[in-house]
Amino acid sequence: MLDLRNDIDHLREIDNAHHLHPFTDHKSLHEGRVRVITGAEGVWLTDGEGHRILDAMSGLWCVNVGYSQPSLVEAAARQMSQLPYYNTFFSSTTMPAAALSERLAAIAPPGFSRVFYASSGSEAVDSALRMARVFWQLQGKPDKRIIVSREYGYHGSTLAGASAGGMRDMHRQGGDLPDFRQVATPYVYRDAGSLSPHDFGLQAARSLETLIEDVGADRIAAFIGEPIQGAGGVIIPPDSYWPEIQRICRQHDILLIADEVICGFGRLGEMFGSIAYGIEPDLMTTAKGITSGYIPLSALFVGDRVAETFIEQGGEFYHGFTYSGHPVACAVALANLDIIEGQGLVAAAERQGAKLRAALARTLSGHPLVGEIRGRGLIGAIELVEDREAHRFFPGSRKVGTTCRDFAIEEGLMMRACRDTMVFAPPLIISDDEIGEIASRAARAVDRTWTNLQTA
Ligand code: PXG
């Protein structure tokens, strides 16, 4: 085998020649230079040039326990040597799949006793949507098919996930199945205007009620939403929002799906976002933090009302994946939960998140480019704006967000730009010193963006 570790340029060449990347402008990647990541430790990445980059994004919002946890590696190796694969179809199970199910049921919010496995967040969402529709078929209401989601929602990249999401670019590229509708999102900074956050939260939730009046509750299967919207720009709802959504769903008998793919497993300072916001969903999709990204796994938590309907009524649910309940992935998830619980990482998310927001306030509040710094637990955002008084954003053509992201990476900080909203979600193991590093590096990136705008 070739040893590519010492030949990063060769690695770039073969990658360029043979690898099409996800969510990528292929033309510009081919004209530019792919970033090679060669290793990672704790919260730090190492790139092909030997630079150390503080990963304030936990990869893609997933490496909750950080990059160097030997117990996850050992759990995978042990399971691989004992039983590397067996499926959970045709009345079979494996030890890790059964044990993880019991463990997940124990930490789930009340009303959840069962899980359904897949390998990605998108598959968990797809499973939730199909389960919701079949649930209504079993209830004798086959016309309840429509899935309602929100502007800027992200629910994955399969046809169903893209259709459920609120990203128009994904709809335009074929993710536009019938029977999907979008309603407003509670984006306080952008839209509240003179309304109090409380009143604005109620108003945003009631866009669901308006849609129900329009299409009829007898055609709507489910509402899906992230407790805090992640990929859409860390949109944090006012406290009035979720109780009102819950009321509307209950009143009209619409299933409520909490998409916890980012919020789940400690990110918000509670084990699940639904606990943080007092949501009582019927279905809950999780992935990412369930194994801290060490190996693909997702779990759809199925509420008792839905699960018991399937169990009592019988009839095959024609749905599942080769890797549903993969024993190696489940074994890693168990080791991952040992760390999250054993090291108190849920409480750490709350504690370190507050410190991170305070540190960012010290280095960035009052900066002419910064409209707002917001967050909950270890997820947050910095709004870069043209006019702080009017909450006015720059025109997209100025590319302020991606400019700031590129400066941040040069400063050794991995952040992500959602439009001009800089978002972060570092590993839950982040130390006080590393929090200080995020704040000072982010401030340098924002300063350089500001200087760049003055001279452009
Ligand atoms: N739901 C939510 C809430 C997510 O954030 C998915 C579903 C889909 O998960 P999979 O495992 O199929 O990717 C996600 C994924 C980004 C980014 O750049 C966000 C995600 C994935 C990739 C990139 O913010 N979220």
Side-chain angles (χ1 to χ4, degrees):
M1 219 171 84
L2 274 175
D3 182 359
L4 296 173
R5 273 169 305 185
N6 298 323
D7 195 350
I8 298 298
D9 288 335
H10 177 62
L11 196 147
R12 285 203 172 92
E13 260 168 48
I14 59 175
D15 195 82
N16 211 29
H18 304 294
H19 181 187
L20 287 175
H21 291 242
F23 276 91
T24 289
D25 176 336
H26 297 287
K27 184 162 187 270
S28 40
L29 181 60
H30 273 72
E31 288 164 0
R33 220 165 80 109
V34 71
R35 177 179 315 107
V36 181
I37 301 296
T38 54
E41 203 186 327
V43 303
W44 296 90
L45 305 169
T46 306
D47 74 8
E49 282 66 42
H51 300 126
R52 273 160 57 83
I53 306 169
L54 199 167
D55 185 8
M57 275 308 298
S58 303
L60 280 176
W61 324 79
C62 56
V63 188
N64 289 13
V65 300
Y67 286 96
S68 25
Q69 298 286 359
S71 64
L72 273 64
V73 182
E74 285 152 17
R78 215 177 310 119
Q79 186 57 41
M80 276 205 172
S81 40
Q82 190 176 334
L83 177 69
Y85 174 76
Y86 200 70
N87 62 73
T88 53
F89 283 44
F90 316 132
S91 311
S92 298
T93 195
T94 64
M95 226 159 57
L100 180 63
S101 306
E102 182 192 35
R103 184 94 177 255
L104 292 175
I107 60 168
F112 287 94
S113 321
R114 295 178 175 85
V115 292
F116 181 95
Y117 293 113
S119 299
S120 67
S122 301
E123 290 168 330
V125 166
D126 204 290
S127 304
L129 303 187
R130 291 196 57 199
M131 208 172 252
R133 286 176 172 174
V134 176
F135 170 79
W136 290 117
Q137 288 172 7
L138 292 173
Q139 301 279 328
K141 297 180 178 172
D143 293 339
K144 276 173 86 70
R145 287 181 49 81
I146 292 175
I147 307 295
V148 183
S149 63
R150 301 176 298 171
E151 185 192 7
Y152 291 146
Y154 188 78
H155 302 293
S157 198
T158 55
L159 278 173
S163 305
M167 314 273 184
R168 296 223 177 83
D169 291 336
M170 294 177 78
H171 298 164
R172 270 196 300 106
Q173 294 182 339
D176 56 353
L177 295 176
D179 292 331
F180 285 83
R181 300 292 173 88
Q182 258 91 46
V183 294
T185 185
Y187 193 167
V188 176
Y189 184 77
R190 189 190 66 176
D191 295 330
S194 59
L195 285 182
S196 69
H198 177 88
D199 289 349
F200 174 70
L202 294 178
Q203 176 185 293
R206 287 175 190 158
S207 64
L208 171 60
E209 208 153 41
T210 307
L211 179 85
I212 295 170
E213 281 160 19
D214 193 25
V215 304
D218 52 350
R219 292 181 56 214
I220 301 177
F223 173 88
I224 182 167
E226 305 149 70
I228 286 179
Q229 281 175 290
V234 184
I235 299 170
I236 303 181
D239 286 342
S240 58
Y241 177 79
W242 277 112
E244 185 66 357
I245 289 285
Q246 183 90 59
R247 178 193 69 76
I248 295 167
C249 287
R250 285 222 173 104
Q251 184 177 327
H252 297 279
D253 211 9
I254 290 166
L255 294 181
L256 177 49
I257 306 172
D259 187 346
E260 298 256 5
V261 166
I262 288 177
C263 296
F265 300 101
R267 174 73 46 207
L268 306 192
E270 294 282 357
M271 189 58 92
F272 297 99
S274 291
I275 297 173
Y277 284 99
I279 312 167
E280 295 175 9
D282 297 286
L283 295 161
M284 215 169 70
T285 48
T286 68
K288 295 189 190 277
I290 193 172
T291 55
S292 290
Y294 279 49
I295 192 164
L297 180 71
S298 60
L300 165 63
F301 288 66
V302 183
D304 295 338
R305 179 184 180 202
V306 175
E308 282 159 19
T309 299
F310 277 76
I311 292 167
E312 281 161 19
Q313 302 237 356
E316 183 161 348
F317 181 36
Y318 297 101
H319 179 71
F321 305 97
T322 302
Y323 302 125
S324 287
H326 194 290
V328 179
C330 290
V332 172
L334 284 163
N336 181 61
L337 278 172
D338 285 344
I339 291 176
I340 291 177
E341 293 183 326
Q343 297 186 14
L345 294 187
V346 179
E350 168 87 36
R351 190 178 61 243
Q352 299 305 83
K355 288 183 197 163
L356 177 53
R357 285 188 296 285
L360 288 168
R362 277 195 295 278
T363 58
L364 277 171
S365 67
H367 194 287
L369 256 189
V370 174
E372 182 181 60
I373 298 164
R374 62 171 175 267
R376 178 161 187 170
L378 274 172
I379 188 168
I382 304 164
E383 294 283 11
L384 303 182
V385 293
E386 185 164 30
D387 184 332
R388 303 171 69 205
E389 291 302 311
H391 294 203
R392 191 174 69 242
F393 294 96
F394 288 94
S397 57
R398 301 288 294 272
K399 296 191 182 313
V400 175
T402 48
T403 303
C404 183
R405 178 206 56 201
D406 292 345
F407 283 137
I409 296 170
E410 278 182 29
E411 294 291 339
L413 176 67
M414 195 59 83
M415 284 206 290
R416 178 154 146 31
C418 302
R419 304 171 299 281
D420 293 344
T421 308
M422 307 309 299
V423 299
F424 49 87
L428 312 186
I429 55 152
I430 191 153
S431 71
D432 292 355
D433 285 350
E434 289 159 344
I435 281 172
E437 288 297 329
I438 293 183
S440 56
R441 290 170 196 225
R444 287 201 293 275
V446 172
D447 273 340
R448 288 175 66 185
T449 308
W450 174 248
T451 307
N452 191 262
L453 282 164
Q454 309 305 317
T455 52

